[in-house]
Amino acid sequence: MTLQEIVRRLGQFGPGLTIYAEAPWQPQANAIVSRPRDDGGVPDEAVAAGCGYFLEVFLALGVLRQFPVVSGQEAGELEQCARLIEYAEWVDSDDKPLSRAFTRPNYPSPMIIHCNKCGKHFDIVVSREGSQKYPCSACGKELVFDLEAFMEKAIQQTRKMHRKRRRRR
């Protein structure tokens, strides 16, 4: 399977899976989707296919969800693939700046958040920058959520995880 074919079917893969791709990353590169080993390493089937860590499925879906709509149409597979490659290359780099499109969310941005009081998930729409309060639809507890802070934390965690995986290769 190619990276482009995986992008085409990305929504069919579980969020706990990881994409592994052959370097150099390009749309026609050999790629597979698999569960990482228990120790977080690259699974044997990915190694046998000549593939290394690319991105987790849930991260790829998140990146593409933030992908801007161009002239009223969703981005095509090649554009989506290029976007994921740009993000994965940035994650793999220690000093490469990330394009503003990745660091600035599109508003309004629908999301699902988790209530730590009742354990339920509920829908919200983040309409502006900064912290906002959202009442849980099940129990009424007010939760504070800041999308930019959440994105920054996710980016830092992604870089940290990628550095660990790179050392284990």
Side-chain angles (χ1 to χ4, degrees), residues 6-101:
I6 287 174
V7 168
R8 180 181 312 131
R9 299 178 43 209
L10 197 56
Q12 298 172 6
F13 299 112
L17 299 176
T18 300
I19 303 167
Y20 299 93
E22 187 176 39
W25 296 328
Q26 55 190 355
Q28 297 308 314
N30 186 32
I32 67 168
V33 177
S34 183
R35 186 166 308 286
R37 289 189 339 215
D38 289 340
D39 67 358
V42 177
D44 294 339
E45 62 266 26
V47 172
C51 298
Y53 170 81
F54 182 69
L55 284 176
E56 287 86 354
V57 168
F58 80 91
L59 285 173
L61 288 167
V63 168
L64 295 180
R65 192 173 298 121
Q66 290 296 323
F67 197 88
V69 175
V70 180
S71 63
Q73 297 179 352
E74 288 192 27
E77 284 174 16
L78 284 175
E79 290 173 285
Q80 290 177 343
C81 207
R83 184 61 160 232
L84 290 179
I85 290 168
E86 178 187 0
Y87 182 79
E89 286 174 343
W90 174 79
V91 168
D92 197 41
S93 162
D94 289 330
D95 59 351
K96 186 175 176 182
L98 187 62
S99 78
R100 290 185 56 77

Side-chain angles (χ1 to χ4, degrees), residues 25 42 52-54 92 162 164-169:
W25 296 328
V42 177
Y53 170 81
F54 182 69
D92 197 41
H162 196 287
K164 283 182 183 178
R165 288 173 195 241
R166 191 171 37 186
R167 283 193 297 261
R168 282 190 227 160
R169 289 181 190 166

